[in-house]
Amino acid sequence: MALRFYNTLTRQEEEFVPLNTGEVRLYTCGPTVYDYAHIGNFRTYLWEDLLRRYLQHRGYRVTQAMNLTDVDDKTIANAREAGLTLADYTRKYIEAFFEDVAALGIEKAEHYPRATAYIPEMARLVRRLQEKAHVYESRGSLYFKISTFPGYGRLSRVDPAAGAGQARIDSDEYEKDNPRDFAVWKAPKDDEPYWDTEIGRGRPGWHIECSAMSMKLLGETFDIHTGGVDNIFPHHENEIAQSEAATGKPFVRYWLHAAHLIVDGEKMSKSKGNFFTLRDLAARGHDMRALRYMLLSVHYRKPLNFTVEGLSQAGAALGRLDDLALRLEAATPSLTTGGGDLAVKAEKVLQGMTDALDADLNTAGALGHLFDLVRETHSAVDAGRFGERDLMATRGVLRAFETIFGIRPGQRADLDTDIEALIRKRAEARARKDFAAADRIRDELLGRGVILEDTPQGVRWKRK
RNA sequence: GGCGGCGUAGCCAAGCGGUAAGGCAGAGGUCUGCAAAACCUCGAUACAUCGGUUCGAUUCCGAUCGCCGCCUCCA
């Protein structure tokens, strides 16, 4: 089966064929570093991580770029408020972003271009647009004239001829010819950072950043560009206009967009008090692995309703995978030869998972197949129908889950030596049938977050 | 107002023309010193509502209701 993605450009699921065989160039819209990223942002970043991992699993070499927008209205305003230079202010949130990325187990992209490091490239792109008469000046700023780009609106399906809706009626942006024309270069102001470039002094517009950096790092036509649905218009529409107007080439072949995360059924917002950063959740003791599992278990194009109950359900589901992995870690096959029924099942499950993920990254479908195998594996081990081949095959499926979903089943912190000593003491107590003493030790360990399970093969432990 | 998405058991969530995967929670049982874990059994005359197309619709079409989003440099 072929890998297929839903392409926003065509509003259809299409077979994925990269420009160069075996290689995928991927641009994922990253954070504006004016504050901590919230879990809605990470829903998107996590899905992009899955996309990257799955492409790799399918044998593609991936080159990914994720921008860090470190100059825009908000970063400038917040830096001023904090009494810091723009660079000092954004550094803090760039560092925080990478801490969060690490906490969630997101693979690093090949490139994290900062907007302020690509100003000359942006100016050059604007220059090209000027040369082709796509840009006009107004009050010292440069605007892209959308009427000069016939394909405008193809991605978002907005009608460039129609007015921009009632929302902007009272805006004072009357210096534009058309309300939907957008700034590619902003006039310098005394109290704002600015750069001297070949097109003069000023700072870049938001959209030009992504066009300039993506084309510089990935080429003027590349394979996949992603972001949240809110980016479809105006950001990505404008990127297409600028890039294709400048180069005369198709900009991006596949546009993929993730639906939003909502909290308790409502849009997340600071005023509603339902706004969570990763740090908020970690501080409340929530498990980042469970969060990762939860955010990945819902198909990326469906709205995801985040609730604390949902997070704990995700933790419980993940716990089942952990339990299986721990059991397999300790397992000795009951049949050194023979068995093999489960190995056959495992092959089918792996195929089922691949088919599901091939179909526009259907993670929920893939997990359904995985849990079929979980149940049947336990069943086979219980029944003693479990051979060497079965063990290998089952471990193989768990490894595939680990590389694709970025979650390692059975992962646990190491035991302290004094906890190990307690576990041994309890085993001795049980051996002499001193169950009262054994239970005391078990309770004590539970209080320290260690759960014990007595199995025919001996004591197993895991962290709560 | 324009454009787009979503509505499946208590909760989460696949499926998208042939009669409802999976997870969590719950009930009963097996196993266990007791637990835990695991396994077995049990759950939607039914997929928001109402029409239509069809031999047949959760799946296609239309309408209605509800929710979410974009149209303002919010993933």
Side-chain angles (χ1 to χ4, degrees):
Chain A
M1 209 169 126
L3 180 55
R4 299 174 70 82
F5 293 129
Y6 181 88
N7 189 348
T8 306
L9 204 52
T10 58
R11 312 278 159 134
Q12 280 178 343
E13 211 175 280
E14 300 175 346
E15 182 172 341
F16 175 69
V17 182
L19 214 49
N20 297 332
T21 307
E23 176 189 353
V24 177
R25 286 171 288 160
L26 168 68
Y27 189 85
T28 50
C29 267
T32 300
V33 286
Y34 69 103
D35 200 349
Y36 296 113
H38 55 70
I39 56 172
N41 296 311
F42 281 110
R43 193 245 173 134
T44 299
Y45 302 148
L46 240 16
W47 156 67
E48 290 161 346
D49 185 46
L50 179 93
L51 170 63
R52 171 191 171 84
R53 286 167 180 270
Y54 191 62
L55 287 167
Q56 289 175 157
H57 176 79
R58 284 298 243 107
Y60 292 107
R61 190 169 72 254
V62 175
T63 304
Q64 179 189 0
M66 175 179 271
N67 64 294
L68 301 170
T69 298
D70 60 350
V71 54
D72 80 320
D73 292 349
K74 279 179 298 204
T75 44
I76 291 169
N78 287 14
R80 184 188 301 144
E81 203 172 304
L84 295 172
T85 65
L86 185 64
D88 284 341
Y89 180 80
T90 56
R91 186 176 304 117
K92 173 182 171 185
Y93 292 104
I94 290 173
E95 284 169 8
F97 173 70
F98 286 117
E99 286 166 17
D100 289 348
V101 161
L104 282 173
I106 293 173
E107 265 186 21
K108 293 292 273 293
E110 282 66 30
H111 306 283
Y112 286 101
R114 286 179 300 112
T116 53
Y118 288 80
I119 302 289
E121 283 80 2
M122 296 173 201
R124 195 158 311 130
L125 183 59
V126 173
R127 169 71 83 196
R128 289 172 78 180
L129 290 170
Q130 282 179 318
E131 286 163 358
K132 297 191 176 184
H134 290 291
V135 165
Y136 61 90
E137 195 209 313
S138 173
R139 297 187 176 186
S141 291
L142 299 175
Y143 292 90
F144 185 92
K145 190 173 183 63
I146 63 168
S147 61
T148 66
F149 183 71
Y152 196 84
R154 205 154 60 91
L155 180 72
S156 61
R157 315 239 157 146
V158 303
D159 179 358
Q166 57 195 5
R168 57 147 299 280
I169 294 297
D170 58 358
S171 88
D172 59 357
E173 300 189 42
Y174 44 76
E175 71 271 22
K176 297 188 206 171
D177 292 356
N178 178 313
R180 292 208 159 141
D181 289 348
F182 55 92
V184 292
W185 190 255
K186 298 194 169 193
K189 293 184 188 164
D190 289 339
D191 56 347
E192 286 185 353
Y194 55 76
W195 287 262
D196 284 308
T197 72
E198 63 180 288
I199 53 169
R201 178 174 287 190
R203 66 179 172 94
W206 176 38
H207 315 298
I208 203 77
E209 291 179 8
C210 284
S211 289
M213 296 193 292
S214 60
M215 290 197 288
K216 165 84 181 216
L217 294 168
L218 302 175
E220 294 186 346
T221 300
F222 58 93
D223 298 297
I224 305 176
H225 193 131
T226 68
V229 285
D230 55 293
N231 279 155
I232 295 171
F233 190 88
H235 186 49
H236 290 162
E237 190 70 61
N238 291 350
E239 279 187 54
I240 292 172
Q242 296 169 330
S243 306
E244 299 193 352
T247 66
K249 299 175 192 166
F251 177 45
V252 168
R253 294 154 51 80
Y254 299 88
W255 287 93
L256 275 51
H257 293 96
H260 277 181
L261 173 146
I262 57 178
V263 173
D264 294 326
E266 289 187 295
K267 181 176 179 172
M268 185 163 52
S269 76
K270 286 182 176 169
S271 57
K272 282 181 185 152
N274 63 357
F275 187 94
F276 296 108
T277 66
L278 216 55
R279 286 138 211 275
D280 296 332
L281 293 177
R284 294 182 196 196
H286 292 298
D287 175 20
M288 292 300 108
R289 293 172 76 236
L291 180 64
R292 180 175 174 110
Y293 182 93
M294 180 195 188
L295 297 184
L296 286 178
S297 64
V298 179
H299 185 84
Y300 75 93
R301 284 195 292 114
K302 285 189 86 170
L304 189 161
N305 187 17
F306 177 86
T307 61
V308 170
E309 194 199 342
L311 184 55
S312 90
Q313 285 184 6
L318 184 53
R320 258 172 86 70
L321 296 179
D322 287 335
D323 283 335
L324 180 66
L326 292 175
R327 188 173 193 187
L328 290 182
E329 209 174 88
T332 41
S334 50
L335 305 163
T336 42
T337 58
D341 288 353
L342 194 64
V344 172
K345 172 71 181 178
E347 276 306 307
K348 283 185 187 154
V349 164
L350 200 54
Q351 190 57 52
M353 291 175 70
T354 305
D355 287 346
L357 292 167
D358 274 354
D360 197 32
L361 302 174
N362 183 353
T363 50
L367 292 173
H369 290 287
L370 178 62
F371 278 100
D372 282 339
L373 183 68
V374 172
R375 191 184 57 255
E376 296 200 22
T377 302
H378 280 304
S379 205
V381 176
D382 283 350
R385 292 182 281 99
F386 190 66
E388 191 73 41
R389 283 165 57 208
D390 301 318
L391 178 62
M392 292 293 117
T394 311
R395 280 184 176 159
V397 174
L398 286 182
R399 263 198 306 277
F401 167 79
E402 179 182 337
T403 57
I404 296 166
F405 283 79
I407 299 172
R408 179 156 159 221
Q411 191 179 49
R412 55 184 182 181
D414 287 335
L415 276 184
D416 301 335
T417 49
D418 60 321
I419 289 178
E420 282 170 18
L422 281 171
I423 291 174
R424 265 197 306 277
K425 262 181 74 181
R426 177 170 171 277
E428 288 159 13
R430 288 185 72 226
R432 57 175 192 271
K433 307 248 186 248
D434 183 357
F435 295 121
D439 289 351
R440 254 198 319 280
I441 294 172
R442 184 168 63 192
D443 287 345
E444 187 192 335
L445 287 169
L446 186 61
R448 295 164 71 164
V450 175
I451 294 170
L452 295 188
E453 293 169 7
D454 297 320
T455 75
Q457 287 80 37
V459 183
R460 274 172 38 203
W461 65 273
K462 61 185 177 185
R463 296 267 178 199
K464 191 155 66 174

